[in-house]
Amino acid sequence: MAPASGGVCSGFCPQSRRGKTPSENPAQDVERHKEGWLPIVGAVCLGVTLGGQTSFISIGVVNNMSVPAILGTSIIDVATKNIATQEHHVELINGTKVPIKRRGAPRGRPDASSEVCACPEGTSAQLKPARKTWVQPGTIAHVPVRSTYTGHGLVKGRPALHHKHGIQVAQGPAIMMANEPVTIQVMHLGVTPLRLTTDTTIGYIDAHEGPTYEISESELEELATPPKGVKEPPLPELDVSSVPTEWSGAVKALLQKHASLWEGKLGLIQGVEHRIQLKPGAVPVRQHPWKAGPMARNRENAEVERMRSMEVIEPASGGWASPVVMVPKPDGSVRFCMDYRKLSLMTIKDAYPIPRMEECIVSLGDARVFSTLNCNAGYWKTPVAEQYKHLTAFTCHTGAWQRVRLPFGLCNAPATFQRAMDMILAGLKWQICLVYLDDVIGFSRSPEEHLQHLEEIVTLLGKAGVTLKASKCHFL
């Protein structure tokens, strides 16, 4: 009933049994009621059914809510007779009793908003950070915490924080003094950085009768240090200079997880092959190599050997042959291209569309965070169908060769590669990323959202056999 990326909160009752008159602007009513904290973007009238009783209310639409809907006082006024918190049910006007289901904490636990979470004897208390602390995903942090408890106790985590954010508190004994900081270990098992404020309850301490030993922060750091001789795999050499400090840990964790994409391997795109459909009456193209001096021949030989070692080409024997063109690149290297102009004249053109730049810019919308990915030798990841390899044959001063992988210069090469990338990122293109041949741009409205989007993008690329060029990838 509401957008997948948003939620709804109730406003007024247009058809209430108590005869309320609807406002002309329900969105403003809800916004005033919520003191402007929820930016209302629209309104819709929906029927809400509780215990078999349906009431129609006007509901404001809000972007990026963490819950599907919030039902406020309007539905209480219309449908409820009594809210019995001790009996854990809501009694409706028609007499039906709807049970109250609590999330995050078992029944009987005091409200998380209270200053101290204590059992009746006062032998338990909340643990809250002594200062604002950022915890990066995939790391163990030493967090100073305070509580109102004094004495020996056992530290334990808060289940709701673990289930929602992946925060796990190390359990164990501790010696506490009321309002004095004590350092505990916190592990972040989630995927996005989390800020722990001084109002966040991250765990509890219960009374403990028995010997305890307090470990200093330096001892904790020593215990967390990896043993000598154990080295973590190196991070890919990627440009993360623009990543804010608070997000660098999360980005590095993501890169480490998908490090194989930047190892420099060629890769092979699965499920796509390049095909060449010739026009009726087409005859084989047979051309001799272009003249080349000693330096140009050396470059040809080096490129041929490189392509042979990468299994991009193989020896050819047939009636087709196109010459080679060496095109200089901005970095001083050369691009080994084949002059397929005559072959292209006899080829039926593939009408698959290449994205237009103005459409790409419009689709960015209100995105504020961007990352760019570049495929490593993108065309060379795409295989040429076996029955069409002989058409790609080329001649140079080392002999005759034919392509095993998609070359530059074929008229339908861009369409084939664009189609392959669109298939790989189907469902994400135009939503969280743009694809223009071998370039992929991920875009999001916030860093938290962007990390999730990057995870989706690189996961699909990796599963499809696509590898990336580290020097041309930039993040956040």
Side-chain angles (χ1 to χ4, degrees):
M1 303 301 289
S5 61
V8 295
C9 60
S10 65
F12 69 98
C13 175
Q15 299 180 18
S16 76
R17 297 184 180 181
R18 302 184 183 181
K20 285 192 176 183
T21 302
S23 166
E24 294 181 358
N25 194 336
Q28 289 184 0
D29 285 357
V30 180
E31 193 166 11
R32 284 199 300 270
H33 177 67
K34 293 297 180 181
E35 299 180 358
W37 294 351
L38 296 179
I40 308 299
V41 298
V44 62
C45 185
L46 299 177
V48 178
T49 301
L50 293 175
Q53 175 181 330
T54 301
S55 303
F56 291 89
I57 61 173
S58 181
I59 294 183
V61 180
V62 179
N63 286 325
N64 299 318
M65 284 180 60
S66 60
V67 294
I70 298 175
L71 299 179
T73 55
S74 56
I75 189 65
I76 295 175
D77 292 340
V78 174
T80 64
K81 179 180 180 182
N82 180 37
I83 300 178
T85 57
Q86 296 299 320
E87 289 76 17
H88 305 290
H89 70 258
V90 175
E91 184 178 358
L92 304 182
I93 291 178
N94 62 4
T96 303
K97 294 182 179 180
V98 179
I100 298 175
K101 296 182 179 180
R102 303 181 183 273
R103 295 187 352 177
R107 293 181 180 179
R109 180 176 292 281
D111 186 5
S113 63
S114 62
E115 191 66 27
V116 177
C117 178
C119 63
E121 294 78 14
T123 57
S124 179
Q126 294 177 346
L127 295 175
K128 297 184 178 182
R131 62 175 182 269
K132 182 178 69 175
T133 305
W134 280 96
V135 183
Q136 303 297 333
T139 63
I140 297 177
H142 304 138
V143 180
V145 296
R146 287 192 175 99
S147 78
T148 58
Y149 178 81
T150 298
H152 292 197
L154 287 175
V155 173
K156 60 183 180 181
R158 180 184 170 197
L161 196 63
H162 172 67
H163 294 314
K164 188 174 182 180
H165 299 289
I167 295 295
Q168 179 68 50
V169 174
Q171 299 187 27
I175 303 174
M176 296 290 299
M177 291 292 293
N179 297 319
E180 291 295 327
V182 171
T183 301
I184 64 173
Q185 279 188 324
V186 174
M187 178 182 291
H188 189 359
L189 304 176
V191 296
T192 59
L194 183 65
R195 184 180 68 172
L196 301 177
T197 66
T198 55
D199 295 328
T200 304
T201 300
I202 64 174
Y204 304 94
I205 182 167
D206 294 329
H208 172 67
E209 297 295 336
T212 57
Y213 173 70
E214 184 178 7
I215 300 177
S216 66
E217 188 169 348
S218 60
E219 290 176 296
L220 285 175
E221 292 179 355
E222 183 178 350
L223 291 172
T225 303
K228 293 183 178 180
V230 179
K231 296 183 178 180
E232 294 184 355
L235 284 171
E237 296 181 0
L238 296 163
D239 180 15
V240 293
S241 58
S242 60
V243 179
T245 304
E246 61 268 26
W247 298 101
S248 60
V251 172
K252 289 179 180 179
L254 186 147
L255 299 181
Q256 188 73 64
K257 180 179 178 181
H258 300 277
S260 59
L261 271 68
W262 289 276
E263 290 180 347
K265 297 179 181 179
L266 180 59
L268 175 65
I269 295 179
Q270 306 290 337
V272 176
E273 291 183 328
H274 182 72
R275 302 174 183 274
I276 304 174
Q277 301 294 335
L278 297 177
K279 298 177 181 178
V283 295
V285 173
R286 183 180 179 183
Q287 293 179 274
H288 290 285
W290 300 120
K291 293 181 180 180
M295 185 176 295
R297 290 189 180 189
N298 290 337
R299 286 184 172 181
E300 281 186 6
N301 294 340
E303 285 296 312
V304 168
E305 288 302 317
R306 185 171 75 95
M307 289 189 291
R308 284 188 63 185
S309 65
M310 298 174 67
E311 299 182 352
V312 172
I313 61 174
E314 62 185 12
S317 59
W320 293 78
S322 299
V324 168
V325 178
M326 305 293 287
V327 180
K329 298 170 66 176
D331 60 1
S333 60
V334 295
R335 179 173 280 120
F336 192 89
C337 299
M338 294 80 188
D339 186 358
Y340 287 129
R341 286 178 292 179
K342 290 190 176 181
L343 173 61
S344 295
L345 290 175
M346 294 181 285
T347 301
I348 299 175
K349 303 301 185 291
D350 188 342
Y352 193 83
I354 305 297
R356 293 187 296 183
M357 192 55 60
E358 57 268 26
E359 292 180 347
C360 294
I361 294 175
V362 170
S363 68
L364 296 177
D366 58 353
R368 296 178 179 271
V369 186
F370 308 90
S371 292
T372 59
L373 306 174
N374 182 268
C375 298
N376 179 33
Y379 280 24
W380 288 11
K381 303 179 189 301
T382 309
V384 177
E386 185 68 33
Q387 62 269 37
Y388 301 107
K389 288 181 180 179
H390 68 285
L391 300 177
T392 67
F394 63 93
T395 57
C396 59
H397 296 87
T398 61
W401 308 88
Q402 65 186 23
R403 301 290 306 205
V404 176
R405 305 286 182 90
L406 183 63
F408 294 98
L410 289 177
C411 63
N412 290 333
T416 296
F417 190 74
Q418 183 69 44
R419 181 185 288 109
M421 293 297 291
D422 287 352
M423 291 172 60
I424 293 170
L425 296 175
L428 303 185
K429 183 183 176 183
W430 304 116
Q431 305 301 318
I432 63 174
C433 69
L434 302 176
V435 183
Y436 186 87
L437 296 177
D438 60 349
D439 290 307
V440 179
I441 300 178
F443 58 91
S444 312
R445 289 172 293 185
S446 66
E448 297 92 342
E449 189 179 65
H450 194 63
L451 286 171
Q452 297 177 0
H453 292 170
L454 277 179
E455 176 72 27
E456 296 180 48
I457 294 170
V458 297
T459 298
L460 289 180
L461 292 176
K463 288 182 178 180
V466 177
T467 57
L468 303 172
K469 192 169 185 178
S471 61
K472 292 186 177 181
C473 295
H474 306 277
F475 296 90
L476 296 179

